Amino acid sequence: MSINEKKLWLIINQIQKIHKNWLVFRLESRTINGIPDVFCCCNGVVFWLELKSSNANNKGVSKFQYNWHYDYFVSGGISFILNYHDTQSTLELLAIHEPRTMYQILSITMSRDPSKKELPENIFKCLKSQIRMSFFR
């Protein structure tokens, strides 16, 4: 199963419908270079989420996205990059911190063709783990 950014968004949108204390919405901006795809408020924790489906070393993150995530981090904000690595069937949660470096926070390897149940469960697991951690930041 090929997973692209649109499919990742559709799954996150479905997770939001199950968890009533989650608010997520997709933002498409052609005026602000680098702004992430999804704004999230989950259990009182506000963060931004960039969706990617890339096998590249840089995960397909542009220099504008890199700069936005770094500036947001320096300002005290929380943002992540959720990448589905197709050739490895891996879901990665990444962040850009000091010194403008991308860090892998969490990586979950799934079956070669993740089921309609497996992928949403793992996306929820990725995000939920960081929501808990963000309270102690």
Side-chain angles (χ1 to χ4, degrees):
M1 172 198 311
S2 178
I3 307 294
N4 57 24
E5 292 175 24
K6 182 179 180 183
K7 285 184 183 175
L8 288 174
W9 161 246
L10 292 173
I11 292 167
I12 290 169
N13 194 30
Q14 289 302 311
I15 292 170
Q16 157 184 251
K17 292 176 182 176
I18 297 168
H19 301 278
K20 299 301 179 191
N21 52 350
W22 283 41
L23 169 70
V24 297
F25 66 89
R26 193 165 188 184
L27 180 71
E28 293 292 331
S29 175
R30 302 215 191 288
T31 58
I32 304 172
N33 286 332
I35 194 163
D37 301 314
V38 181
F39 174 82
C40 309
C41 182
C42 304
N43 295 335
V45 177
V46 175
F47 61 96
W48 287 89
L49 189 61
E50 178 66 38
L51 304 177
K52 292 291 181 188
S53 182
S54 175
N55 298 329
N57 287 339
N58 70 352
K59 313 303 180 198
V61 176
S62 74
K63 67 179 181 180
F64 298 110
Q65 291 167 327
Y66 231 92
N67 290 335
W68 191 97
H69 281 272
Y70 177 74
D71 291 344
Y72 196 67
F73 167 76
V74 169
S75 299
I78 302 168
S79 64
F80 302 106
I81 299 155
L82 182 68
N83 182 56
Y84 181 74
H85 195 292
D86 193 42
T87 59
Q88 296 178 1
S89 296
T90 303
L91 191 64
E92 303 170 304
L93 192 67
L94 309 142
I96 296 173
H97 294 164
E98 300 276 0
R100 289 190 189 272
T101 303
M102 187 182 304
Y103 295 93
Q104 185 178 76
I105 297 170
L106 187 63
S107 177
I108 299 174
T109 302
M110 297 178 286
S111 60
R112 185 72 191 120
D113 190 15
S115 68
K116 290 183 178 181
K117 185 178 178 185
E118 182 183 15
L119 191 56
E121 285 175 353
N122 284 315
I123 289 174
F124 178 72
K125 189 186 301 182
C126 278
L127 298 178
K128 187 177 176 186
S129 71
Q130 291 313 301
I131 291 166
R132 285 191 188 138
M133 296 296 290
S134 296
F135 278 118
F136 303 104
R137 186 169 181 221

